[in-house]
Amino acid sequence: MRSEILTILHKAKGGYVSGADLAEKLAVSRTAIWKHICALKDEGYQIESKSRSGYRIVDSPDLLNPGEIKAKIKTEILGQKIIYYKEIGSTNNEAKLQAAKGAREGTIVVSEQQGTGRGRLSRGWYSPAQKGIWFSLILRPGFLPQEAPKCTLMAAVAIAKAIFTITGIEVGIKWPNDILYNGKKLVGVLTEMNAEMDRINYIVIGMGINVNVSNKEMPEEIKDIATSLSEIKGETVSRIDLLTQVLAELENLYLLIKEQGFAPILKLWKQYSVTLGQDIKVIGVNETFYGKAVDIDDFGALLVDTGEKIERVLAGDVSIRKAK
């Protein structure tokens, strides 16, 4: 109910909406509307009430709740269903549970804070309250399971494009799933899949974006290797503007894939890549080797020239580092 009230008030663009109109649109009593308005004020919303005029939003807290998202969303598929938490262990875990229960394509799970957020290879991801964008997206694509890893590349390109649109900051993508600024990690992407031999049941793409995390509050182990948009820009960045732009970019790329396949996405990814052309160290489960990252193939695998042969490196198996 509160989400619907927020959506209506936001769409009034600073104008008043009467309690009677809200009650009629939402099929509840004016008393119920008043109680929800009081609850929204307790959450930090500045809502002005005026006799014979109604209610209007004066200022909003920096929240990513459904009402805020729906007021600014630009998509037709992604984010039309929103599952919101103030705090959760992992949005990816919750998204997988929802997907297994039949959640429709485009559903997102978003939380203000994660307690056990994680990246690739089970690494932890610092996800403090209201300082970043921590969310997961459910997709049910028609392409084959072997193409699923390329969804990580799609998400990285979408986020890079959205960051530039909202902040003007140019970032680079480190294969396969990190977005960097001047060598420091800004974004992580984790893609997980449930599939059969010839079909995908669902894909969950988890995305963690450091938006307004200060360097001072970062854990000691990541202070030297991570950064945030506010640290780069020197000012607070709107999380809701960035999230809705990320969803818009993701939807555009996803629809492009359905029309033309992954080739356009791979081309875009290469333009953002900070891995290709670099001398790297590949750390695998059973071996470690050095070489130059020369390309990615049609399935998103990294091609590394060791000087003796071209090694094909899969994202699920390894870590890569700059060669020293």
Side-chain angles (χ1 to χ4, degrees), residues 175-248:
W175 184 91
N177 68 328
D178 291 336
I179 293 179
L180 310 180
Y181 179 83
N182 284 349
K184 291 190 173 184
K185 187 179 295 189
L186 190 62
V187 180
V189 180
L190 175 64
T191 300
E192 299 182 276
M193 174 180 66
N194 180 284
E196 299 168 25
M197 286 293 293
D198 60 350
R199 67 185 293 269
I200 293 172
N201 296 321
Y202 62 80
I203 289 174
V204 168
I205 308 174
M207 290 157 269
I209 307 173
N210 295 333
V211 183
N212 296 316
V213 187
S214 71
N215 185 258
K216 292 180 181 179
E217 66 186 300
M218 290 182 183
E220 286 296 326
E221 62 267 24
I222 66 170
K223 277 187 175 182
D224 294 333
I225 60 172
T227 190
S228 71
L229 294 172
S230 62
E231 285 285 327
I232 298 165
K233 200 166 176 62
E235 62 187 39
T236 299
V237 173
S238 169
R239 294 189 303 144
I240 191 65
D241 286 350
L242 182 56
L243 174 58
T244 52
Q245 187 64 36
V246 169
L247 290 172

Side-chain angles (χ1 to χ4, degrees), residues 86-156:
K86 289 186 177 178
E87 183 175 356
I88 197 172
S90 162
T91 60
N92 253 38
N93 287 348
E94 180 61 22
K96 287 187 290 184
L97 289 174
Q98 295 294 331
K101 292 178 182 177
R104 72 190 191 199
E105 179 168 73
T107 297
I108 64 170
V109 177
V110 59
S111 182
E112 302 292 354
Q113 181 177 5
Q114 289 187 115
T116 55
R118 69 189 193 283
R120 207 170 56 86
L121 304 179
S122 298
R123 298 189 181 108
W125 187 272
Y126 179 58
S127 313
Q130 294 180 231
K131 295 298 181 72
I133 297 173
W134 330 117
F135 84 107
S136 299
L137 167 67
I138 297 172
L139 296 178
R140 298 185 183 276
F143 47 74
L144 294 172
Q146 54 263 40
E147 293 198 284
K150 288 183 280 188
C151 288
T152 300
L153 309 184
M154 172 189 72

